[in-house]
Amino acid sequence: MSKPFFSPLRSLRPILLCAVLPVAVACAETPVWPGAQRQVIIGFTAPTDGKARPTLDAIEKAAGIRVRYVSALSDRSCAYLLNCPASDAACEAVIQTLRHTPGIDYIQADQTRNLP
Amino acid sequence: MKLRAILLALTGLPTLFSANVQAQAEAPEARVIVKLKAGSALKQIQAGSRIQSLGARLGLSAQMIGQPGQDVHVMHATGLTSAALAARLTKESDVEYAVPDRIKKISALPNDPLLAFQWYLQTPDVTRLSAIDAVRAWDLTSGSNKVVVAVVDTGVRFDHEDLAPRLLAGYDFVSDNLNAGDAQSGRDADASDPGDYASTSELANATLRNMCGSAVAHASSWHGTQVAGIVAAESNNSRGIAGVGGSTRILPVRVLGKCGGFDSDIIAGMRWAAGLAVPGVPANPNPAQIINLSLAGSGTCSAAYMSAIAEIRAAGALVVAAAGNETGAVEEPANCSGVLAVAGIRHAGTKVGYSSYGSEVGVSAPAGNCVNTVTGLPCLFPLINTINLGATAPAGNGYTGTSDQTVGTSFATPLVAGTAALMLAANPALSEAGLARYIKQGATPFPFDATLPVCPAVSSDGQCNCTTTTCGAGMLNAAAAVSAALAAAAASPLASITAPAEPEAGKAATFSASASTAATGATLVGWKWTQTSGPATGTFGSGSAASTTFKAPSAGSYTIRLTVTDDAGRTGTAETSIQVKAAAKSSGGGGVTDLPSLLGLLGLVALALHQRRKA
């Protein structure tokens, strides 16, 4: 049985910070990094505040690279930018690592669609 | 003055909320002409009582609302369609005949001036075998403004005069500012299409260029406006084109910008369209029953799409998606299980060269074809769509013409979505699985052209003779699909609610579905209880059992809806209004009898004693 990616109680902390510190950098737009990035969708095994700092910290710790929140799909899936180039083998290894991280149900490329 | 205005607004809010909920959840009403047999024993009682007695046999509360002849009565009941009631009555031994009391109108086609050019909506003939016969479907239903189709696309032009009356507010899910092109940061409430053009200077940005897959500048497509018009451009308004779906409303959900859109935004938009929660986005006040996806990309169905589509189907919405224009495998998300994938066919009914195809396709529909034109001559079989005329930013509104190559599985898909909307108008009890089933059931078999190979083999330009394993069940036939939806209504189960007489606020009252019945040979397998209106939100003991309790938090009028499902997936609904009285006041000067209150009171006493000692 899979466990939540992190404690929901811990995830509340940054939200509370946002409430009292509207200008808190952690809750505002993170600067875009220069260089190549790879956008992915991460599905969690349990409802997760994907924007919360503890979630980002946990993903960054597992991945070993910088990670930026992009958007939410649902209460258990979000899009993220990984700070590694799409064609890089090491980036692929990071994705494999995340795929096997407890609390993560799936990770996949956030591809673009067009008009048929 | 200001205060008075605020008070007026506040007092009006509950009424507005209540009316809105009721409008969405209105139960079907039946009106049937029923004639008794010459030897019926019912003739011995008064006419009104005959109808009540017949209704009681079917578990219904029925009234006579007219008597056009001797032994002929007009019967009214709620909770089922006229077709369903007529079918049930026909089986009664006392009944000679029972037929729906339908409304007749002057028989005429809509007066939209471009309808004659919408060849794909006409009754099929030798020159247009694949035409979907929407014109005869409109004889059966003119659609319903209670049916909502989400167009998950590039957004729409809200100022298009042939679309405006049909449009709901929608939402913009494009989160990447680079391709959003709307000068607003991230997701926002404006679903209008600012244009998806990409200029040479914009394409100097490597990220955008990679998204486009090209460095060549292109004009705005106004794709969402085109798709929305196919679904539900206003008809019979002496203007432009007619949409397939009649009175259907469109929920525009913007997920594509310059060079397309990300899966993450598309999935979020799809979920929101179906009424599911998306963090950071306000709840959708108008959930769609049908979701149109005229978008595609390579890849097998991913976990993210699979998960979202399962949730959306569970919420009751049908997902209709374009197979793709790659003359190859069906693309994502059309290749996901549970999606009604649409392939494109030519006017002649053979697969159009560009259309993707495969076993995932559910049905085929005209996608437009220009293959038999020569340079300089007009496209012979395009779709005529609502569009904006601006090359980049919005300009005036108009329509695509016969010289435009408006073709693609993008445009076949909304023909199916619009047909599904008509079916729901004809039979509001249809489930999403039922919609897909009857669209397939009503499809016309594919023709055969001896000069073309049989799919999956294709000619040099991608054409082939469709089969049921490559292009779905057949060619979309809107009239047959709506007829199948109406016929299904006759076999649908009858929901019946047994409600408590005088429930009290704060106390659980028991509701039962035991008087509900399934058609002969079918069994009820599912029950769903929901509250559709009321001064506050109550709680059910179980939302999915044959019997449940409901606890209303305060006094007032509440409406409870029951949906029953039989083992064939057919559904029936009933609604009942209950008047909840205020909770009885406790005797003995406000004495406390329940345990939590008693504990709270003891706590207060202890606190008072403690403070007294301190003092």
Side-chain angles (χ1 to χ4, degrees):
Chain A
M1 181 153 166
S2 49
K3 291 177 182 171
F5 194 57
F6 65 96
S7 156
L9 278 176
R10 285 186 61 197
S11 73
L12 283 175
R13 204 167 58 186
I15 295 171
L16 289 171
L17 269 175
C18 283
V20 293
L21 299 170
V23 292
V25 178
C27 307
E29 288 282 314
T30 311
V32 178
W33 311 305
Q37 300 152 25
R38 185 160 182 178
Q39 192 157 317
V40 295
I41 297 172
I42 294 180
F44 300 103
T45 54
T48 300
D49 183 353
K51 196 178 184 182
R53 193 65 248 173
T55 309
L56 291 168
D57 288 346
I59 298 171
E60 287 186 342
K61 190 178 173 190
I65 56 169
R66 294 284 307 282
V67 174
R68 184 163 75 94
Y69 169 86
V70 176
S71 62
L73 285 68
S74 70
D75 65 352
R76 57 174 74 202
S77 55
C78 294
Y80 295 95
L81 269 176
L82 306 182
N83 192 19
C84 60
S87 54
D88 187 8
C91 197
E92 196 53 45
V94 164
I95 289 172
Q96 284 300 330
T97 303
L98 287 173
R99 188 164 283 137
H100 297 107
T101 300
I104 289 182
D105 184 25
Y106 63 83
I107 177 168
Q108 65 182 65
D110 190 3
Q111 298 187 84
T112 54
R113 307 285 155 191
N114 51 31
L115 312 168
Chain B
M1 190 73 185
K2 230 177 192 177
L3 181 65
R4 193 171 163 229
I6 291 167
L7 282 172
L8 275 172
L10 285 173
T11 49
L13 277 176
T15 317
L16 281 173
F17 171 75
S18 177
N20 184 32
V21 173
Q22 279 178 337
Q24 284 176 42
E26 203 166 288
E29 290 192 27
R31 189 180 162 120
V32 167
I33 302 170
V34 55
K35 184 179 184 190
L36 297 177
K37 282 181 180 169
S40 169
L42 287 174
K43 286 187 177 182
Q44 293 168 11
I45 58 177
Q46 284 188 334
S49 302
R50 297 170 191 171
I51 294 305
Q52 286 172 3
S53 176
L54 275 173
R57 286 187 206 173
L58 302 175
L60 297 168
S61 173
Q63 302 85 39
M64 187 182 79
I65 55 172
Q67 192 173 16
Q70 195 179 7
D71 305 333
V72 182
H73 317 75
V74 182
M75 179 175 182
H76 177 266
T78 56
L80 74 174
T81 62
S82 299
L85 178 57
R88 294 292 169 92
L89 287 168
T90 302
K91 292 175 187 166
E92 289 297 314
S93 58
D94 286 295
V95 173
E96 184 175 321
Y97 66 77
V99 291
D101 188 12
R102 294 201 173 105
I103 296 168
K104 292 287 181 284
K105 293 176 183 168
I106 298 165
S107 184
L109 284 172
N111 58 17
D112 305 76
L114 294 177
L115 178 60
F117 295 94
Q118 293 180 278
W119 60 271
Y120 40 91
L121 300 184
Q122 311 299 324
T123 298
D125 60 27
V126 289
T127 63
R128 48 193 183 198
L129 285 173
S130 67
I132 70 168
D133 210 359
V135 291
R136 284 206 303 149
W138 296 333
D139 285 342
L140 302 172
T141 175
S142 54
S144 165
N145 65 6
K146 295 186 181 75
V147 178
V148 176
V149 176
V151 172
V152 179
D153 212 290
T154 61
V156 293
R157 290 309 307 162
F158 281 93
D159 53 359
H160 199 297
E161 55 276 16
D162 217 3
L163 275 181
R166 306 258 66 84
L167 294 172
L168 294 163
Y171 207 82
D172 177 5
F173 279 85
V174 182
S175 54
D176 187 335
N177 296 339
L178 184 63
N179 78 318
D182 61 356
Q184 297 190 70
S185 182
R187 294 172 175 173
D188 59 77
D190 182 4
S192 64
D193 186 349
D196 58 354
Y197 68 96
S199 64
T200 307
S201 59
E202 285 174 314
L203 291 168
N205 180 301
T207 306
L208 193 63
R209 195 168 61 244
N210 286 339
M211 273 188 78
C212 274
S214 166
V216 179
H218 61 260
S220 291
S221 66
W222 312 111
H223 194 266
T225 300
Q226 296 196 57
V227 170
I230 295 171
V231 176
E234 191 166 37
S235 60
N236 214 29
N237 61 345
S238 304
R239 191 193 296 274
I241 62 169
V244 180
S247 305
T248 304
R249 288 185 299 168
I250 297 290
L251 180 71
V253 182
R254 184 169 184 253
V255 299
L256 305 175
K258 295 175 190 289
C259 309
F262 282 98
D263 283 336
S264 49
D265 291 337
I266 296 166
I267 291 168
M270 289 167 64
R271 294 185 74 261
W272 183 83
L276 301 168
V278 175
V281 177
N284 173 7
N286 298 293
Q289 297 98 325
I290 298 151
I291 296 175
N292 186 93
L293 297 175
S294 289
L295 49 86
S298 60
T300 54
C301 183
S302 65
Y305 273 110
M306 257 188 265
S307 167
I309 288 162
E311 282 184 276
I312 289 165
R313 294 185 71 199
L318 172 71
V319 180
V320 188
N325 295 344
E326 302 302 319
T327 324
V330 176
E331 296 196 284
E332 190 185 26
N335 58 11
C336 293
S337 176
V339 170
L340 182 58
V342 182
I345 46 178
R346 300 172 71 240
H347 67 290
T350 51
K351 188 188 84 67
V352 66
Y354 54 78
S355 177
S356 300
Y357 58 105
S359 59
E360 301 94 337
V361 175
V363 73
S364 286
N369 51 289
C370 306
V371 291
N372 37 7
T373 63
V374 293
T375 309
L377 287 181
C379 178
L380 285 184
F381 294 96
L383 275 78
I384 309 298
N385 298 338
T386 43
I387 197 167
N388 189 275
L389 301 173
T392 54
N397 291 305
Y399 302 86
T400 60
T402 51
S403 59
D404 295 315
Q405 296 205 358
T406 40
V407 299
T409 53
S410 275
F411 303 138
T413 306
L415 292 173
V416 177
T419 298
L422 288 179
M423 294 164 73
L424 265 186
N427 181 359
L430 272 183
S431 64
E432 60 87 29
L435 286 171
R437 186 189 319 135
Y438 295 122
I439 284 172
K440 292 175 186 174
Q441 189 179 302
T444 307
F446 295 112
F448 185 81
D449 180 342
T451 65
L452 292 173
V454 175
C455 307
V458 294
S459 64
S460 58
D461 60 0
Q463 289 188 61
C464 56
N465 282 299
C466 277
T467 65
T468 52
T469 53
T470 51
C471 305
M475 302 187 291
L476 175 68
N477 184 323
V482 172
S483 294
L486 283 167
S492 294
L494 283 178
S496 177
I497 301 173
T498 306
E502 283 190 311
E504 193 177 306
K507 286 190 175 173
T510 301
F511 286 72
S512 171
S514 59
S516 302
T517 54
T520 309
T523 312
L524 293 181
V525 295
W527 299 263
K528 186 178 176 187
W529 298 91
T530 49
Q531 177 190 337
T532 59
S533 72
T537 303
T539 50
F540 288 99
S542 166
S544 57
S547 174
T548 188
T549 56
F550 177 73
K551 192 189 283 184
S554 57
S557 179
Y558 291 76
T559 305
I560 305 297
R561 171 177 262 212
L562 165 67
T563 302
V564 293
T565 307
D566 69 11
D567 51 357
R570 295 175 295 233
T571 57
T573 58
E575 279 191 357
T576 188
S577 290
I578 53 166
Q579 197 63 40
V580 175
K581 61 181 183 181
K585 283 182 182 168
S586 307
S587 59
V592 178
T593 52
D594 61 309
L595 187 60
S597 304
L598 196 61
L599 289 173
L601 194 62
L602 285 171
L604 283 173
V605 170
L607 187 67
L609 286 171
H610 177 69
Q611 283 182 339
R612 201 171 158 185
R613 265 194 218 119
K614 274 171 75 179

